[in-house]
Amino acid sequence: MTEQSRKILTEMQVRKSRKQKETFRAWLCGELEAAGYSPRVEEGFAARNVVAGDPDKAQVLLTAHYDTQAVLPVPNFITPRNPFFFVLYQILIVIPLFLAIALAEGVLTAFAPEAVLWWLMPLASMGLCVFFIWWIFDGKANRHTANDNTSGVLTLVEAALALPPEHRERVCFVFFDNEEKGMFGSSAFAKKHKKAKKNTPVLNFDCVGDGDSIHFLPRRRLKKDEAALSRIEAAFLPAGDKDVQVVRGFSMYPSDNANFKKGVGVCALKHNKVAGYYMDRIHTSKDTVLDEANITLLRDGALRYIAGLG
């Protein structure tokens, strides 16, 4: 990896507070400028995106979110090709909330005066729900974000720095803000750049560092374009023990790619016989794994993909 990527991995994994984000954006823009780009910060609702290139003229957008999430007691377990396990796990996550509410109501029933129960119980329940939501979206920063989404940031940085100057007009690199709080950055970007939203392929790298199976998960409109899918397959090649899959069948990936008609979610997955392909460890202190081979595969693939657009 480049010196810039090493610095991000060792010194800038936490990009959550306003100051942390400002520091990262300033450094990133400086490095891109030194490499010959003209980056800018585009502001939108609750987001500041770093953009290098012209999204309205580019033939492809390479994107990743740079914001980091709150640390949680359990990982966000994602199965992009298995909707049953995906929904089941989301349900299991909220069970502790209902248990906490039931416990609070039990304590209040046992000890609070009956005259105040009618307003105290719903207030306590609402308070617990608000606390739960705050913890997920704005709680203490996770200090370990190797996979989610330092890996995606490194993929963009590596590709941008290695891309020959004569190919740079074909692509726009976008580092989205506030994906973790509701995809605000990509929503603001898509609203401003409607042509890119509707017509431009968007390869969104999110959690690409931990897993030996690199998956490209296109949205429905792009799945109908076999030529576009074949171009991805021709550019992003398996290497060593890494396989690459461009999924034609069912898939769902909750990231910034969802805001673009031709969006493609790119992630690294593991596999077992029960859940199928899955992602774990993210949003917890165990998010410490980043396989450099994944970044190299994706960087080289991105360079081949862009070269083939000429």
Side-chain angles (χ1 to χ4, degrees), residues 56-121:
D56 300 314
K57 295 181 180 179
Q59 294 173 261
V60 65
L61 270 62
L62 301 186
T63 68
H65 75 87
Y66 69 87
D67 62 303
T68 58
Q69 69 288 333
V71 63
L72 300 178
V74 294
N76 189 5
F77 187 80
I78 298 176
T79 55
R81 299 174 65 175
N82 189 328
F84 172 77
F85 269 89
F86 184 91
V87 173
L88 177 63
Y89 190 76
Q90 307 311 309
I91 293 174
L92 291 175
I93 286 178
V94 301
I95 287 178
L97 172 62
F98 290 111
L99 293 177
I101 291 175
L103 178 62
E105 291 180 348
V107 170
L108 289 174
T109 301
F111 297 103
E114 187 173 347
V116 300
L117 282 178
W118 67 273
W119 62 265
L120 191 57
M121 289 182 66

Coordinates of all heavy atoms in Angstrom, one line a residue, residues 56-121:
D56 N -20.6 14.9 -13.6 CA -21.5 15.0 -14.7 C -21.0 14.6 -16.0 O -21.7 14.4 -17.0 CB -22.0 16.4 -14.7 CG -22.7 16.9 -13.4 OD1 -23.5 16.1 -12.9 OD2 -22.4 17.9 -12.9
K57 N -19.6 14.4 -16.1 CA -19.0 14.0 -17.3 C -18.3 12.6 -17.2 O -18.0 12.0 -18.2 CB -18.0 15.0 -17.8 CG -18.6 16.4 -18.1 CD -17.5 17.3 -18.6 CE -18.1 18.7 -19.0 NZ -17.0 19.7 -19.4
A58 N -18.1 12.2 -16.0 CA -17.4 10.9 -15.8 C -18.2 9.7 -16.3 O -19.4 9.7 -16.3 CB -17.1 10.7 -14.3
Q59 N -17.5 8.7 -16.8 CA -18.1 7.5 -17.3 C -18.3 6.5 -16.2 O -19.1 5.5 -16.3 CB -17.2 6.8 -18.3 CG -17.0 7.7 -19.6 CD -16.0 7.1 -20.6 OE1 -14.9 7.5 -20.6 NE2 -16.4 6.1 -21.3
V60 N -17.7 6.7 -15.0 CA -18.0 5.9 -13.8 C -17.6 6.7 -12.6 O -16.8 7.5 -12.6 CB -17.1 4.6 -13.9 CG1 -15.6 4.9 -13.8 CG2 -17.5 3.6 -12.8
L61 N -18.4 6.4 -11.5 CA -18.1 6.9 -10.2 C -17.5 5.8 -9.3 O -18.1 4.7 -9.2 CB -19.3 7.5 -9.6 CG -19.6 9.0 -9.8 CD1 -19.9 9.2 -11.3 CD2 -20.8 9.5 -9.0
L62 N -16.4 6.1 -8.7 CA -15.9 5.2 -7.6 C -16.1 5.9 -6.3 O -15.6 7.0 -6.1 CB -14.4 4.9 -7.9 CG -14.0 4.2 -9.2 CD1 -12.5 3.9 -9.2 CD2 -14.9 3.0 -9.5
T63 N -16.8 5.2 -5.4 CA -17.2 5.9 -4.2 C -16.9 5.0 -2.9 O -16.8 3.8 -3.0 CB -18.7 6.2 -4.2 OG1 -19.5 5.0 -4.2 CG2 -19.0 7.0 -5.5
A64 N -16.9 5.7 -1.8 CA -16.8 5.0 -0.5 C -17.2 6.0 0.6 O -16.9 7.2 0.4 CB -15.4 4.5 -0.2
H65 N -17.7 5.6 1.7 CA -18.0 6.6 2.7 C -16.8 6.6 3.7 O -16.2 5.6 4.0 CB -19.3 6.2 3.5 CG -19.3 5.1 4.4 ND1 -18.9 5.2 5.7 CD2 -19.6 3.7 4.2 CE1 -19.0 4.0 6.3 NE2 -19.3 3.1 5.4
Y66 N -16.5 7.8 4.1 CA -15.3 8.0 5.0 C -15.7 8.2 6.5 O -14.9 8.1 7.4 CB -14.5 9.2 4.6 CG -15.1 10.6 4.8 CD1 -15.0 11.2 6.0 CD2 -15.8 11.2 3.7 CE1 -15.6 12.5 6.2 CE2 -16.4 12.4 3.9 CZ -16.3 13.1 5.1 OH -16.8 14.3 5.3
D67 N -17.0 8.4 6.8 CA -17.4 8.6 8.2 C -17.3 7.2 8.9 O -17.4 6.1 8.3 CB -18.8 9.1 8.3 CG -19.8 8.3 7.7 OD1 -19.7 7.9 6.5 OD2 -20.8 7.9 8.4
T68 N -17.2 7.3 10.2 CA -17.1 6.0 11.0 C -18.3 6.0 12.0 O -18.9 7.0 12.3 CB -15.8 5.9 11.7 OG1 -15.5 7.0 12.6 CG2 -14.6 5.8 10.7
Q69 N -18.5 4.8 12.5 CA -19.7 4.6 13.3 C -19.4 4.5 14.8 O -18.3 4.5 15.2 CB -20.4 3.2 12.9 CG -19.6 2.0 13.2 CD -18.3 1.8 12.4 OE1 -18.2 2.3 11.3 NE2 -17.3 1.2 13.0
A70 N -20.5 4.4 15.5 CA -20.4 4.2 17.0 C -20.1 2.8 17.3 O -20.4 1.9 16.5 CB -21.7 4.6 17.7
V71 N -19.4 2.5 18.4 CA -19.1 1.2 18.8 C -20.3 0.5 19.4 O -21.0 1.2 20.3 CB -17.8 1.1 19.7 CG1 -18.1 1.8 21.0 CG2 -17.4 -0.3 20.0
L72 N -20.6 -0.7 19.0 CA -21.8 -1.4 19.5 C -21.4 -2.7 20.2 O -20.3 -3.2 20.0 CB -22.8 -1.7 18.4 CG -23.3 -0.5 17.6 CD1 -24.2 -1.0 16.5 CD2 -24.0 0.5 18.5
P73 N -22.2 -3.2 21.1 CA -21.9 -4.4 21.9 C -21.9 -5.7 21.0 O -21.3 -6.7 21.3 CB -22.9 -4.5 23.0 CG -24.1 -3.7 22.5 CD -23.5 -2.6 21.6
V74 N -22.7 -5.6 19.9 CA -22.8 -6.7 19.0 C -22.5 -6.3 17.6 O -22.8 -5.1 17.2 CB -24.2 -7.4 19.0 CG1 -24.5 -8.0 20.4 CG2 -25.3 -6.4 18.7
P75 N -22.0 -7.1 16.7 CA -21.7 -6.7 15.3 C -22.9 -6.6 14.5 O -24.0 -7.2 14.8 CB -20.8 -7.9 14.8 CG -21.2 -9.1 15.6 CD -21.6 -8.5 17.0
N76 N -22.8 -5.8 13.4 CA -23.8 -5.8 12.4 C -23.6 -6.9 11.4 O -22.7 -6.8 10.6 CB -23.7 -4.4 11.7 CG -24.9 -4.2 10.8 OD1 -25.9 -5.0 10.8 ND2 -24.9 -3.1 10.0
F77 N -24.3 -8.0 11.6 CA -24.2 -9.2 10.8 C -25.0 -9.1 9.5 O -26.2 -8.9 9.6 CB -24.6 -10.4 11.6 CG -24.4 -11.7 11.0 CD1 -23.1 -12.3 11.0 CD2 -25.4 -12.4 10.4 CE1 -22.8 -13.5 10.5 CE2 -25.1 -13.6 9.8 CZ -23.9 -14.2 9.8
I78 N -24.3 -9.1 8.4 CA -25.0 -8.8 7.1 C -24.9 -10.0 6.2 O -23.8 -10.6 6.0 CB -24.4 -7.6 6.4 CG1 -24.7 -6.3 7.3 CG2 -25.1 -7.4 5.0 CD1 -24.1 -5.1 6.8
T79 N -26.0 -10.5 5.6 CA -26.0 -11.6 4.6 C -26.7 -11.0 3.4 O -27.9 -11.2 3.2 CB -26.8 -12.8 5.2 OG1 -28.1 -12.4 5.6 CG2 -26.1 -13.4 6.4
P80 N -25.9 -10.4 2.5 CA -26.5 -9.8 1.3 C -27.3 -10.7 0.4 O -28.2 -10.2 -0.4 CB -25.3 -9.2 0.6 CG -24.2 -9.1 1.6 CD -24.5 -10.3 2.5
R81 N -27.0 -12.0 0.4 CA -27.7 -12.9 -0.5 C -28.7 -13.8 0.2 O -29.2 -14.7 -0.4 CB -26.7 -13.7 -1.3 CG -25.8 -12.8 -2.2 CD -24.6 -13.5 -2.8 NE -25.1 -14.5 -3.8 CZ -24.3 -15.2 -4.6 NH1 -23.0 -15.0 -4.6 NH2 -24.8 -16.0 -5.5
N82 N -28.9 -13.6 1.5 CA -29.8 -14.4 2.3 C -30.8 -13.5 3.1 O -30.5 -13.1 4.2 CB -29.0 -15.3 3.2 CG -29.9 -16.4 3.9 OD1 -31.1 -16.1 4.2 ND2 -29.3 -17.5 4.2
P83 N -31.9 -13.2 2.5 CA -32.8 -12.2 3.1 C -33.4 -12.8 4.5 O -33.6 -12.0 5.4 CB -33.9 -12.0 2.1 CG -33.9 -13.2 1.2 CD -32.4 -13.6 1.2
F84 N -33.5 -14.1 4.6 CA -34.1 -14.6 5.8 C -33.1 -14.3 7.0 O -33.6 -13.8 8.0 CB -34.3 -16.1 5.7 CG -34.7 -16.8 7.0 CD1 -36.0 -16.7 7.5 CD2 -33.7 -17.5 7.7 CE1 -36.3 -17.3 8.7 CE2 -34.1 -18.1 8.9 CZ -35.4 -18.0 9.4
F85 N -31.9 -14.6 6.9 CA -30.9 -14.4 7.9 C -30.7 -12.9 8.2 O -30.5 -12.4 9.3 CB -29.6 -15.0 7.6 CG -29.5 -16.4 8.2 CD1 -29.9 -17.5 7.4 CD2 -29.0 -16.7 9.4 CE1 -29.8 -18.8 7.9 CE2 -28.9 -17.9 10.0 CZ -29.3 -19.0 9.2
F86 N -30.8 -12.1 7.1 CA -30.7 -10.6 7.2 C -31.8 -10.1 8.1 O -31.5 -9.3 9.1 CB -30.7 -10.0 5.8 CG -30.4 -8.5 5.9 CD1 -29.2 -8.0 5.7 CD2 -31.5 -7.6 6.0 CE1 -28.9 -6.6 5.8 CE2 -31.3 -6.2 6.1 CZ -30.0 -5.8 5.9
V87 N -33.0 -10.4 7.8 CA -34.1 -9.9 8.6 C -34.1 -10.5 10.0 O -34.4 -9.8 11.0 CB -35.5 -10.2 7.9 CG1 -36.7 -9.9 8.7 CG2 -35.5 -9.5 6.5
L88 N -33.8 -11.8 10.1 CA -33.8 -12.5 11.4 C -32.8 -11.8 12.4 O -33.1 -11.5 13.5 CB -33.5 -13.9 11.3 CG -33.3 -14.7 12.6 CD1 -34.7 -14.8 13.3 CD2 -32.8 -16.2 12.3
Y89 N -31.7 -11.5 11.9 CA -30.7 -10.8 12.7 C -31.1 -9.4 13.2 O -30.9 -9.1 14.3 CB -29.3 -10.8 12.0 CG -28.2 -10.4 12.9 CD1 -27.6 -11.3 13.9 CD2 -27.7 -9.1 12.9 CE1 -26.6 -10.9 14.7 CE2 -26.6 -8.7 13.8 CZ -26.1 -9.6 14.7 OH -25.1 -9.2 15.5
Q90 N -31.7 -8.7 12.3 CA -32.2 -7.3 12.7 C -33.2 -7.4 13.8 O -33.3 -6.6 14.7 CB -32.8 -6.6 11.4 CG -31.8 -6.5 10.2 CD -30.4 -6.1 10.6 OE1 -30.2 -5.1 11.2 NE2 -29.4 -6.8 10.1
I91 N -34.1 -8.5 13.7 CA -35.1 -8.7 14.7 C -34.4 -9.0 16.1 O -34.8 -8.5 17.1 CB -36.0 -9.8 14.3 CG1 -36.9 -9.3 13.1 CG2 -37.0 -10.2 15.5 CD1 -37.8 -10.4 12.6
L92 N -33.4 -9.9 16.0 CA -32.7 -10.3 17.2 C -32.0 -9.1 17.9 O -31.9 -9.1 19.1 CB -31.7 -11.4 16.9 CG -32.2 -12.8 16.5 CD1 -31.1 -13.7 16.1 CD2 -33.1 -13.4 17.6
I93 N -31.5 -8.2 17.1 CA -30.8 -7.0 17.7 C -31.7 -6.2 18.6 O -31.3 -5.7 19.6 CB -30.2 -6.2 16.5 CG1 -29.0 -6.9 16.0 CG2 -29.8 -4.8 17.1 CD1 -28.3 -6.1 14.8
V94 N -33.0 -6.1 18.2 CA -33.9 -5.2 18.9 C -34.6 -5.9 20.1 O -35.2 -5.2 20.9 CB -35.0 -4.6 18.0 CG1 -34.4 -3.8 16.9 CG2 -35.9 -5.7 17.5
I95 N -34.4 -7.2 20.2 CA -35.0 -7.9 21.4 C -34.5 -7.4 22.7 O -35.3 -7.2 23.6 CB -34.7 -9.4 21.2 CG1 -35.6 -10.0 20.1 CG2 -35.0 -10.1 22.6 CD1 -35.4 -11.5 19.9
P96 N -33.2 -7.1 22.9 CA -32.7 -6.5 24.2 C -33.4 -5.2 24.5 O -33.7 -4.9 25.7 CB -31.2 -6.3 23.9 CG -30.8 -7.3 22.9 CD -32.0 -7.4 22.0
L97 N -33.8 -4.4 23.5 CA -34.5 -3.2 23.7 C -35.9 -3.5 24.3 O -36.3 -2.9 25.3 CB -34.7 -2.4 22.4 CG -35.6 -1.2 22.5 CD1 -35.1 -0.1 23.5 CD2 -35.8 -0.5 21.2
F98 N -36.6 -4.5 23.8 CA -37.9 -4.8 24.3 C -37.8 -5.4 25.7 O -38.7 -5.2 26.6 CB -38.6 -5.8 23.4 CG -39.1 -5.2 22.1 CD1 -38.5 -5.5 20.9 CD2 -40.1 -4.2 22.0 CE1 -38.9 -4.9 19.7 CE2 -40.5 -3.6 20.9 CZ -39.9 -4.0 19.7
L99 N -36.8 -6.2 26.0 CA -36.5 -6.7 27.3 C -36.3 -5.6 28.3 O -36.7 -5.6 29.4 CB -35.4 -7.7 27.3 CG -35.6 -9.0 26.5 CD1 -34.3 -9.8 26.5 CD2 -36.8 -9.8 27.1
A100 N -35.5 -4.6 27.9 CA -35.2 -3.5 28.8 C -36.5 -2.7 29.1 O -36.7 -2.2 30.2 CB -34.2 -2.5 28.1
I101 N -37.3 -2.5 28.1 CA -38.6 -1.8 28.3 C -39.5 -2.6 29.2 O -40.1 -2.0 30.2 CB -39.3 -1.5 26.9 CG1 -38.5 -0.5 26.1 CG2 -40.7 -1.1 27.2 CD1 -39.1 -0.3 24.7
A102 N -39.5 -3.9 29.0 CA -40.4 -4.7 29.9 C -39.9 -4.7 31.3 O -40.6 -4.6 32.3 CB -40.4 -6.2 29.4
L103 N -38.5 -4.7 31.5 CA -37.9 -4.7 32.8 C -38.3 -3.3 33.5 O -38.6 -3.3 34.7 CB -36.4 -4.9 32.8 CG -35.7 -4.8 34.1 CD1 -36.1 -5.9 35.0 CD2 -34.2 -4.9 33.8
A104 N -38.1 -2.2 32.7 CA -38.4 -0.9 33.3 C -39.9 -0.8 33.7 O -40.2 -0.3 34.8 CB -38.1 0.2 32.3
E105 N -40.8 -1.3 32.9 CA -42.2 -1.3 33.2 C -42.5 -2.1 34.5 O -43.3 -1.7 35.3 CB -43.0 -1.7 32.0 CG -43.0 -0.7 30.9 CD -43.8 -1.2 29.7 OE1 -44.3 -2.4 29.7 OE2 -44.1 -0.4 28.8
G106 N -41.8 -3.2 34.6 CA -42.0 -4.1 35.8 C -41.5 -3.4 37.0 O -42.2 -3.5 38.1
V107 N -40.4 -2.7 37.0 CA -39.9 -2.0 38.1 C -40.8 -0.9 38.5 O -41.1 -0.6 39.7 CB -38.4 -1.5 37.9 CG1 -38.0 -0.5 39.0 CG2 -37.5 -2.6 37.7
L108 N -41.3 -0.1 37.5 CA -42.2 1.0 37.8 C -43.5 0.5 38.4 O -44.0 1.1 39.3 CB -42.4 1.8 36.5 CG -41.3 2.6 35.9 CD1 -41.7 3.2 34.6 CD2 -40.9 3.7 36.9
T109 N -44.0 -0.6 37.9 CA -45.2 -1.2 38.4 C -45.1 -1.6 39.9 O -46.0 -1.4 40.7 CB -45.7 -2.4 37.6 OG1 -45.8 -2.0 36.2 CG2 -47.0 -3.0 38.1
A110 N -43.9 -2.1 40.2 CA -43.7 -2.5 41.6 C -43.4 -1.4 42.6 O -43.8 -1.5 43.7 CB -42.5 -3.5 41.6
F111 N -42.8 -0.3 42.1 CA -42.4 0.7 43.1 C -43.0 2.1 42.9 O -43.0 2.8 43.8 CB -40.8 0.8 43.0 CG -40.1 -0.5 43.4 CD1 -39.6 -1.3 42.5 CD2 -40.0 -0.8 44.8 CE1 -38.9 -2.5 42.8 CE2 -39.4 -2.0 45.1 CZ -38.8 -2.8 44.2
A112 N -43.4 2.4 41.7 CA -43.9 3.8 41.5 C -45.4 3.9 41.9 O -46.1 2.9 41.8 CB -43.8 4.1 40.0
P113 N -45.8 5.0 42.4 CA -47.2 5.2 42.8 C -48.1 5.0 41.6 O -47.8 5.5 40.5 CB -47.2 6.7 43.3 CG -45.8 7.0 43.6 CD -45.0 6.2 42.7
E114 N -49.2 4.4 41.8 CA -50.2 4.1 40.8 C -50.7 5.4 40.1 O -50.9 5.4 38.9 CB -51.3 3.3 41.3 CG -52.3 2.8 40.2 CD -53.3 1.9 40.8 OE1 -53.2 1.5 42.0 OE2 -54.3 1.6 40.1
A115 N -50.7 6.5 40.8 CA -51.2 7.7 40.2 C -50.4 8.3 39.1 O -50.9 9.0 38.2 CB -51.4 8.8 41.3
V116 N -49.1 7.9 39.1 CA -48.2 8.5 38.0 C -47.8 7.5 37.0 O -47.1 7.8 36.0 CB -46.9 9.0 38.7 CG1 -47.2 10.1 39.7 CG2 -46.1 7.9 39.3
L117 N -48.3 6.2 37.1 CA -47.9 5.2 36.2 C -48.4 5.5 34.8 O -47.7 5.1 33.8 CB -48.4 3.8 36.6 CG -47.7 3.1 37.7 CD1 -48.4 1.8 38.1 CD2 -46.2 2.8 37.3
W118 N -49.5 6.1 34.6 CA -50.1 6.4 33.3 C -49.2 7.2 32.4 O -49.3 7.1 31.2 CB -51.5 7.0 33.5 CG -51.5 8.4 34.0 CD1 -51.5 8.8 35.3 CD2 -51.4 9.6 33.3 NE1 -51.4 10.1 35.4 CE2 -51.4 10.7 34.2 CE3 -51.4 9.9 31.9 CZ2 -51.4 12.0 33.8 CZ3 -51.4 11.2 31.5 CH2 -51.3 12.3 32.4
W119 N -48.4 8.1 33.0 CA -47.5 8.9 32.2 C -46.1 8.5 32.4 O -45.3 8.7 31.4 CB -47.7 10.4 32.5 CG -47.3 10.8 33.9 CD1 -48.2 10.9 35.0 CD2 -46.0 11.1 34.4 NE1 -47.5 11.3 36.1 CE2 -46.1 11.4 35.8 CE3 -44.7 11.2 33.9 CZ2 -45.1 11.8 36.6 CZ3 -43.7 11.5 34.7 CH2 -43.8 11.8 36.0
L120 N -45.7 7.9 33.5 CA -44.3 7.5 33.7 C -43.9 6.3 32.9 O -42.8 6.3 32.3 CB -44.1 7.2 35.2 CG -42.7 7.1 35.7 CD1 -41.9 8.4 35.3 CD2 -42.6 6.8 37.2
M121 N -44.8 5.3 32.7 CA -44.4 4.2 31.9 C -44.1 4.5 30.5 O -43.1 4.1 29.9 CB -45.4 3.1 32.1 CG -45.4 2.4 33.5 SD -46.6 1.1 33.7 CE -46.0 -0.1 32.6

